[in-house]
Amino acid sequence: MGRAEKKLLRKQSLIEATVTCVTRYGYAQSTIQRIAAEAGLTGGTIYRHFNDKRDLFAATMRHLLKLVLAEEGEAVARADTDADRLKAVISSKFAPGLFNSAFCTVWLHFWANAQSDPAFARIERLSDRLLHRSLSRYARRVMAPEIAGDFASEVSLIIDGLWVAHAQNADELTALEANEIAQGCLAARLGR
């Protein structure tokens, strides 16, 4: 294995360790030392890959966003019609790899800190825009254009709320139930 591959693997292990630590200890208590120990590395190793804790956390948030987008892309690729693609965009947000206690908890911590951190805020705004764009793209094809934008905003808020609810009480809301709630909004708009 070459040096570049080792560096990439180390960065990935630090990102995964960050997810584990934030899930276990929360954002503020996820120190460089805890993250490094979770990854089986020294604290100084982190600084070879990231400028500081904030940079590591921003990289983790970007990584999580890439996972969300990949899940959506795969779901949409399997759909045959625009209505199915719209359903796929929604259901992708409740896939097991995303709609689980760890993922939702970490994302909730980042949401909370986006209010005070410009780098997190940019990533959060990008995430919101990409979801709204995907929903709007297919909604405009299956419903009146004048309501497609409102629908996209409404479903985005529902998805966010379901993720927050899952992060706070994972045992009370299954992925199937969450998907049914969000899909119910679509069914109501389509009159089905």
Side-chain angles (χ1 to χ4, degrees), residues 8 14 17 39 51 63 69 105 114 121 127 130 145 158 163 170 184 189-190:
L8 188 61
L14 288 167
N51 295 329
H63 171 73
L69 296 174
T105 298
S127 173
L130 292 172
I158 289 170
W163 276 41
R189 289 288 185 150
L190 295 177

Side-chain angles (χ1 to χ4, degrees), residues 51-117:
N51 295 329
D52 52 24
K53 177 181 169 179
R54 185 174 159 264
D55 187 35
L56 170 59
F57 277 51
T60 301
M61 195 170 177
R62 285 189 300 273
H63 171 73
L64 296 178
L65 178 56
K66 286 178 186 174
L67 294 176
V68 170
L69 296 174
E71 189 70 49
E72 179 183 307
E74 290 172 16
V76 169
R78 291 188 301 267
D80 295 322
T81 67
D82 287 326
D84 288 342
R85 287 181 193 94
L86 185 54
K87 289 176 186 176
V89 170
I90 295 168
S91 66
S92 73
K93 305 311 178 228
F94 306 107
L98 304 180
F99 199 73
N100 59 61
S101 182
F103 199 100
C104 291
T105 298
V106 171
W107 198 259
L108 180 60
H109 280 278
F110 286 136
W111 270 333
N113 286 283
Q115 304 308 309
S116 59
D117 189 306

Side-chain angles (χ1 to χ4, degrees), residues 39-53:
L41 303 168
T42 64
T45 305
I46 290 178
Y47 296 107
R48 290 189 198 128
H49 304 284
F50 302 98
N51 295 329
D52 52 24
K53 177 181 169 179

